[in-house]
Amino acid sequence: MGEPAETIDGWYCYHDFRSIDWTSWKRVPADERHSILAEFISMVEEWADNENRAEGSYALYSIIGQKADIMFMLLRPTMKELEQIEKAFNKTRLAEYTIPAYSYVSVVELGKYMFRGEGDPLEDPSIRERVFPILPKWEHVCFYPMYKKREGNDNWYSLPAKERGQLMYSHGMIGRKYAGHVKQIITGSTGFDDWEWGVTLFAHDVLQFKKLIYEMRFDEVSARFSEFGPFYIGNVLKKDEIEVYFQV
Amino acid sequence: MGEPAETIDGWYCYHDFRSIDWTSWKRVPADERHSILAEFISMVEEWADNENRAEGSYALYSIIGQKADIMFMLLRPTMKELEQIEKAFNKTRLAEYTIPAYSYVSVVELGKYMFRGEGDPLEDPSIRERVFPILPKWEHVCFYPMYKKREGNDNWYSLPAKERGQLMYSHGMIGRKYAGHVKQIITGSTGFDDWEWGVTLFAHDVLQFKKLIYEMRFDEVSARFSEFGPFYIGNVLKKDEIEVYFQV
Amino acid sequence: MGEPAETIDGWYCYHDFRSIDWTSWKRVPADERHSILAEFISMVEEWADNENRAEGSYALYSIIGQKADIMFMLLRPTMKELEQIEKAFNKTRLAEYTIPAYSYVSVVELGKYMFRGEGDPLEDPSIRERVFPILPKWEHVCFYPMYKKREGNDNWYSLPAKERGQLMYSHGMIGRKYAGHVKQIITGSTGFDDWEWGVTLFAHDVLQFKKLIYEMRFDEVSARFSEFGPFYIGNVLKKDEIEVYFQV
Amino acid sequence: MGEPAETIDGWYCYHDFRSIDWTSWKRVPADERHSILAEFISMVEEWADNENRAEGSYALYSIIGQKADIMFMLLRPTMKELEQIEKAFNKTRLAEYTIPAYSYVSVVELGKYMFRGEGDPLEDPSIRERVFPILPKWEHVCFYPMYKKREGNDNWYSLPAKERGQLMYSHGMIGRKYAGHVKQIITGSTGFDDWEWGVTLFAHDVLQFKKLIYEMRFDEVSARFSEFGPFYIGNVLKKDEIEVYFQV
Amino acid sequence: MGEPAETIDGWYCYHDFRSIDWTSWKRVPADERHSILAEFISMVEEWADNENRAEGSYALYSIIGQKADIMFMLLRPTMKELEQIEKAFNKTRLAEYTIPAYSYVSVVELGKYMFRGEGDPLEDPSIRERVFPILPKWEHVCFYPMYKKREGNDNWYSLPAKERGQLMYSHGMIGRKYAGHVKQIITGSTGFDDWEWGVTLFAHDVLQFKKLIYEMRFDEVSARFSEFGPFYIGNVLKKDEIEVYFQV
C-alpha cells in the first residue's frame, strides 16, 4: 500500500465551456438581444461582487477554435454554490443561445509538503492565498485536465512517496522559472470528474504557455507519467467587451 | 482456470442520468409546468412508498457540470421492475424535457468472503441489509463505473484467488477508515453493462469522496488493476426541492 | 503462418437495437398509434410464420437502460434476406418513431472440432440444430460483441492451433455447466462487422448471465485473450405485450 | 532509416457511405420522389458511361445494418474529379434525404515488387489492369480500412525491407487461394485519410469474405502487425433496382 | 530532466474546417445566395489584402470526403487576431449554412538548431521567411496533427537531446528530397490544442503527399515515436471559383 500525498483543499472550482449558436442568436431582435446581454452582464457583476467580498472568484474568457466560444471559471466555498451558479446560468435567456461544450468540476489543491508550519495550514495566510485565490484577469488562459499514468512500468501510484516527492519538486522548479509570466492554478478532481487534475494557466503573453508546457514535457513527471486531455486556449473577455463580442 | 470469487447478489440497480432541455422547458406555460412536476413528484412519492415497504430503494440527486442535470438510482428485486420504472419515467411528460445522458444497469453485490456463517447468506440479517440496502439521502453522491485490468502483467483475472483476496482485504481496509463519512454501494455489472462494477458513494462532506478515492488509488488494487469510467458528482435533491429546482 | 480453426456456418444473423422517440410517439393520435402498431405486429407475425416453417428464426426483447429500448434479432439463410428485413422495418411507420442505436451483422458459427462425423457436417442433424437454431423466447437476453486480442504476448492468432483448441475446450466446459440455465448462440462476424464474434445469451434467471460471464472471465481465453464490446441486457417482449409496451 | 516499399499508384478512389432519412423521404410526394430518383439514376448512368469509356469505374451497393444504407465507390484519374463527383452528389435532390455516414479517400496501389519488367510499369498491360481496374459488380462487397502497427516489438515500419517482403508474399498467397471467389482492390491512403489502406473485396458468396479474412488473421502480417477499422458489408444495388430500393 | 529543444515561433495559425449544409443552402433564394457569397468573398479579399501587406497569410481549400467541405487557414501576428477572424466568419451569413467540422490552433515553429547565426533569429531574413511564411496557393493541401509518443520504451521526451537532434536531422533529410514538390509548414500546438504539432503540406501533384508521408513512416522518428491524428486532403479553392463551388 503506497502512501498518498496529502493535500490542502480550498475553494471548489467549476469550469464551463459553451459554444454560441450564432444562427439562432442572429434571429433575435436587437433590443431583445440587448436585454438578454444585460441579464448576463448583471450575472457577471454578481460574480465580481462576490470576488470583491473575497467569497469566491471568477474568470471569463473567449475560446479560440471550434471547441467552444466562451469559458467561465468559478471558485466557491461549497459544491452547492457551484451547482447553483451553473443552474442560474442555465436559466438565463442567454443560455438558450449556447450549446454545452465541456465542463470540469474540481477543487483548488495544494500539496501538503508546501506547508512547513504547524497547526491548521488553512490558517496560514500564504497558504490561504493559494487555495482561496483571486483569479488573475490576464490576457490569456489555457486549461487542460490530466491524470498520472498507471501503465506497466510507468505507474505513478506505485512509486515510493519519496520518489514522487522528488519528481514533483523538480517539476515544480520548471514552473517557478515562469513566475510573473504564467500564473498556475491546480485543481484536484479525483472523484469529481473524469481526469485527476485540472490545470488552469494565465499569461500576458500566450507563447509562455507553449514554452512552459513544452519544457515540462521533457521532465520525467510529464514524460513518463502524465496523460493530457483536451487543451482550451482563450483571450480575456472583459465585462465591458461582452456587448461587442455578442454583436451581430 | 482461475477460481472466480463468489458473490452474494441482492437488489437489481438502475442509475439514470438526464440532462434537462431548459430552452424547451421555459417555453412551457407555468401552470402546465406545475402539473408536469406534480406528475413527476408523485412518481418520486411512489418510489418513497416502495422504500418504506422495504421493497426497494431510491435516490434522487442533481448533478454538477454539463454531463447531466439529475440522476435517479433505483433498487428493485427484479430486472423487470427496473425496466418498468425506466419506461414509466420515459412516458411522463417531464421526460419530454430531458435528454438521456448516461445509464447503468447492475445488481448490488457482496463478496462471499464477507459471509462467515453457514447456510444461505441471504437469510443472515447483516448480509441482507448490505445487499438489500436503503440508500442514504446524504448531501452528496459520487458515481463511477470501473473494471479490473487484463493487460500484460497487470491481469487481475490471472491472479491466484488467494492473492486477489489479500489485495481486496487491504483495499477494503481503506474504505473502512471512512466509515460514517462515506457510505459505499458496490453493484456488479458483468454481463449487464459495459464495465464490471458500479461504485456509488454517499457523503455529508463532498471532500471525503476525493480523499477516499485518492487514497485508494495508491493501493495496489487500484494502482495496478483498476480502470475507471466517467465520474458523476451530485447534491441531494429532496422531494420538496424539486419545484424550486425546475423553476424558470 | 498459423492454422485457422475451421468453422461450420449456418444462418446469417442480424441484431437491430432501437431507441424509441417517446416525445414524438406521444404526439401521434391514439387510433393512428394503434394502426402503426398493427403494422408492426403483423411484421412480427411474419417473422413467427417464417420460424414455424423453419426458414429462419427471430427474437424480440426490450432493453434496459438508455442504450436502446427494443432489440430484434433475425436469422435467415442469406444476407440478402437480412437486408430486406432491415429495409422493410425502416419503411414501416413505427420506424419513424425509433432511433437507430446499434446493430450487428454476423453468421451462426460452430467450431469444426464440434463435428466428429464424416461428410458434410451440414447434413448431420445435431449440427443442423446448432447452426440453424430456433431462438429461445426465454425471459432475458444478453448480447455483446467481442474479439480475440493480438497484443504483445497476448496474441491469440499467434498461438499454435493445438493450444487454441485446448483453451477453447476448457472455456467451453464452463458454458456447459450452465446448460439448461443459459442458452448460448455464437455468431461469427469477421469481415461482416467491427468485432469478431457476437454472443447472444438467453436465460430464465437474469443473474445466470452475470455468473456465467464472470466465471468465464477468470478462464485464460477471456482473461488473457478476449476484449468485450458494449453489453445489452433485455426482457422478452412477447407479441401480445407490444401494445402495452407502446401505450402512452 | 528503413527502406520504404515503393508503390505503383493508379486511379484515385472515393468511397461514400450514406444513411437514408426514411422519415423525410416518406414525406415527399410520390411523383417528386420519382423525379428525384430519375436525377440520381441519370448520375449513375454517367458513372457507367465513364466506365465504358475506361476513364474510371464505379460500384453501387446497399449496406446491411445501421452503419449506412448505401455505398458508392468511384475511381478516377484525378483527386479533382473525385471532389467534383462528391460535390455533384451533394447537390442532387436525393442527397437532401441522405445523412453522411462514412467516407474514404485513397488511390489504387500495387507493391512495386509485383512488377518484374523494365521501364515504366504503368505501360505494362497486366499492371494497368490492376491499378486502373474495372470494379466487378459481384453480389457482395466488403470494405474496411486498416493500418500497420507501430507498437513496442510489433512495429511493421521498423522491420527490414526483406522481412516485410517475405511476410507480404506469404500473406498474398492466402489471397491467391481465393482467386475467382474474392476480388480484392487495395487502395493506399497514407496522407489522404485516417488509416493507411482501404481494402475493398467483392464476392458472389458473402461467406468467402469471412473465410478469407479469418484465415488471413492467423498470418503474421495480420496477427502481429495489422489493426482494422470499421467493416461494411453490402449487397449489389443494380441501376434497375434503385427505384424498388427507394420505394416507400 | 531532459533538455527541451528550443523553438523559434512566428505567426499564430488557425485552421478551420467546415461542412456545408447543402439542404438549407438550396432553400435560400438565388439572389440572397449571391449576396451571402459576396459577403464571404469580400472577407477572403481582406485576407488577401492582409497577405499583400505581409501582415499575415491565408489559404482556402475544398476538402474531399465527408469530414469537411472547406478549410481556411490563417496566419496572424497575435492570437487575438485569430479569434477575431474566427468570430468574424461566425457572424457572416454564410456561416449559418456551415457546420463546424474541425479546427486547430497553433503557431508557426522552427527548431532553433535551424539558426546558426548570432543575436535574435527573428531578425535573420531566411528565418523570417520561414516563420512568417506566405502560404503557397498550390493545387493540393494535406493537413494532420501529430504528437510524439511517450509509451514504454518509445518515449521521445526521455531521449537525450543529442539523439533527438540526430533523429530529427535524418527525418528532415527526407523532407528535403521533396523540395519544390512539397512545401511544408510545421506549427507547434503544445498548450494550444490537443496534439503537439500541426503539419500542413502543399503540393502540385497530390501523390507527392502519399510518397513523402509513406517514406517518412519508415524513418525512426515516425516509426517509433509519432502518432498521427485525422488527415484532411483538399484541392485549392480560388477566390473566383467560390461562386461556382456554391452554385446549387
Side-chain angles (χ1 to χ4, degrees), chain A residues 67-243:
Chain A
K67 288 177 191 168
D69 283 309
I70 55 170
M71 184 273 281
F72 44 87
M73 174 184 180
L74 278 301
L75 303 180
R76 286 293 181 280
T78 66
M79 202 60 105
K80 186 75 193 164
E81 286 160 286
L82 294 184
E83 188 212 319
Q84 283 163 343
I85 287 171
E86 183 200 355
K87 202 165 45 181
F89 179 79
N90 277 330
K91 292 180 178 182
T92 62
R93 277 178 294 157
L94 185 61
E96 299 176 32
Y97 304 97
T98 70
I99 300 151
Y102 195 67
S103 71
Y104 210 72
V105 179
S106 53
V107 62
V108 183
E109 178 186 302
L110 205 64
K112 206 152 194 172
Y113 57 87
M114 299 301 293
F115 175 63
R116 284 145 205 277
E118 292 184 10
D120 182 355
L122 288 181
E123 290 182 0
D124 177 321
S126 75
I127 295 293
R128 289 189 69 79
E129 71 179 21
R130 295 191 64 176
V131 298
F132 306 121
I134 298 305
L135 299 173
K137 276 60 181 172
W138 293 2
E139 272 175 272
H140 301 286
V141 78
C142 171
F143 171 78
Y144 59 95
M146 58 165 295
Y147 66 77
K148 294 277 181 33
K149 276 194 210 175
R150 298 175 287 114
E151 286 171 19
N153 294 320
D154 296 340
N155 193 322
W156 176 259
Y157 291 94
S158 297
L159 291 182
K162 196 174 166 191
E163 191 175 345
R164 275 186 282 121
Q166 286 164 343
L167 287 168
M168 285 309 291
Y169 177 81
S170 125
H171 195 64
M173 280 301 105
I174 300 174
R176 218 165 283 190
K177 284 167 56 181
Y178 288 81
H181 298 286
V182 178
K183 170 85 181 163
Q184 176 176 286
I185 307 281
I186 301 294
T187 53
S189 56
T190 300
F192 294 164
D193 217 320
D194 298 356
W195 303 75
E196 296 172 344
W197 288 276
V199 179
T200 312
L201 307 175
F202 298 88
H204 299 294
D205 171 10
V206 75
L207 203 57
Q208 298 299 314
F209 295 143
K210 178 166 171 271
K211 286 182 185 295
L212 167 60
I213 298 172
Y214 192 52
E215 187 168 345
M216 280 188 167
R217 199 144 299 180
F218 290 93
D219 180 66
E220 197 171 346
V221 170
S222 289
R224 273 188 62 198
F225 296 110
S226 299
E227 211 57 70
F228 303 98
F231 281 78
Y232 293 85
I233 189 87
N235 298 324
V236 72
L237 182 59
K238 294 185 186 140
K239 208 182 60 186
D240 57 10
E241 294 168 342
I242 293 173
E243 286 261 15

Side-chain angles (χ1 to χ4, degrees), chain E residues 75-111:
Chain E
L75 302 180
R76 287 292 181 279
T78 66
M79 203 60 105
K80 186 75 193 165
E81 286 159 288
L82 293 185
E83 187 212 319
Q84 283 162 344
I85 286 172
E86 183 200 355
K87 202 164 46 181
F89 178 80
N90 277 330
K91 292 180 178 181
T92 63
R93 279 179 291 157
L94 185 62
E96 299 176 31
Y97 303 97
T98 71
I99 300 151
Y102 195 67
S103 71
Y104 210 72
V105 178
S106 53
V107 62
V108 184
E109 177 186 303
L110 204 64

Side-chain angles (χ1 to χ4, degrees), chain B residues 14-47:
Chain B
Y14 182 55
H15 290 79
D16 192 303
F17 298 82
R18 304 266 167 165
S19 295
I20 295 162
D21 177 356
W22 293 105
T23 302
S24 303
W25 178 243
K26 284 195 262 180
R27 302 277 176 276
V28 180
D31 56 345
E32 202 180 324
R33 284 201 308 262
H34 183 75
S35 120
I36 288 171
L37 289 176
E39 182 195 32
F40 176 61
I41 290 165
S42 115
M43 177 175 280
V44 175
E45 279 163 355
E46 278 176 42
W47 297 346

Side-chain angles (χ1 to χ4, degrees), chain C residues 217-236:
Chain C
R217 200 145 297 180
F218 290 93
D219 179 66
E220 197 171 347
V221 169
S222 288
R224 274 187 63 198
F225 296 110
S226 300
E227 210 59 70
F228 303 98
F231 281 78
Y232 294 85
I233 189 86
N235 298 325
V236 73

Side-chain angles (χ1 to χ4, degrees), chain C residues 11 59 112 135 187 237 245:
Chain C
W11 279 337
K112 207 153 195 171
L135 299 172
T187 53
L237 182 60
Y245 184 88

Side-chain angles (χ1 to χ4, degrees), chain E residues 59-82:
Chain E
L60 180 64
Y61 281 79
S62 62
I63 300 299
I64 301 147
Q66 295 177 359
K67 290 177 188 167
D69 284 309
I70 56 169
M71 184 272 280
F72 44 87
M73 174 184 181
L74 278 302
L75 302 180
R76 287 292 181 279
T78 66
M79 203 60 105
K80 186 75 193 165
E81 286 159 288
L82 293 185

Side-chain angles (χ1 to χ4, degrees), chain B residues 1-7 9 12 14-18 79-83 86-87 90-97 99-105 107-109 150-152 155-159 164 188-197, chain C residues 22-23 26-27 62-69 140 142-144 149 151 154 170-171 173-174 205-207 209-211 213-215 217-236 241 244-248:
Chain B
M1 204 188 304
E3 306 162 54
E6 286 189 69
T7 60
D9 301 277
Y12 292 91
Y14 182 55
H15 290 79
D16 192 303
F17 298 82
R18 304 266 167 165
M79 203 60 105
K80 186 75 193 165
E81 285 160 288
L82 294 184
E83 188 212 318
E86 183 200 355
K87 202 164 46 179
N90 277 330
K91 292 180 178 182
T92 63
R93 278 178 295 158
L94 185 61
E96 300 177 31
Y97 304 97
I99 300 150
Y102 195 67
S103 71
Y104 210 72
V105 178
V107 62
V108 183
E109 177 186 302
R150 298 175 287 114
E151 287 171 18
N155 193 323
W156 177 259
Y157 291 93
S158 296
L159 291 182
R164 275 186 282 121
S189 56
T190 300
F192 295 164
D193 217 320
D194 298 356
W195 303 74
E196 296 172 344
W197 288 276
Chain C
W22 293 106
T23 301
K26 284 197 262 181
R27 302 278 174 275
S62 61
I63 300 298
I64 302 147
Q66 295 177 0
K67 289 176 189 169
D69 284 308
H140 303 285
C142 172
F143 171 78
Y144 59 95
K149 277 194 207 174
E151 286 170 18
D154 296 340
S170 124
H171 194 64
M173 281 299 107
I174 300 174
D205 171 10
V206 76
L207 203 56
F209 295 143
K210 178 166 171 271
K211 287 183 185 295
I213 298 172
Y214 192 52
E215 186 168 346
R217 200 145 297 180
F218 290 93
D219 179 66
E220 197 171 347
V221 169
S222 288
R224 274 187 63 198
F225 296 110
S226 300
E227 210 59 70
F228 303 98
F231 281 78
Y232 294 85
I233 189 86
N235 298 325
V236 73
E241 294 168 341
V244 171
Y245 184 88
F246 281 94
Q247 186 139 17
V248 285

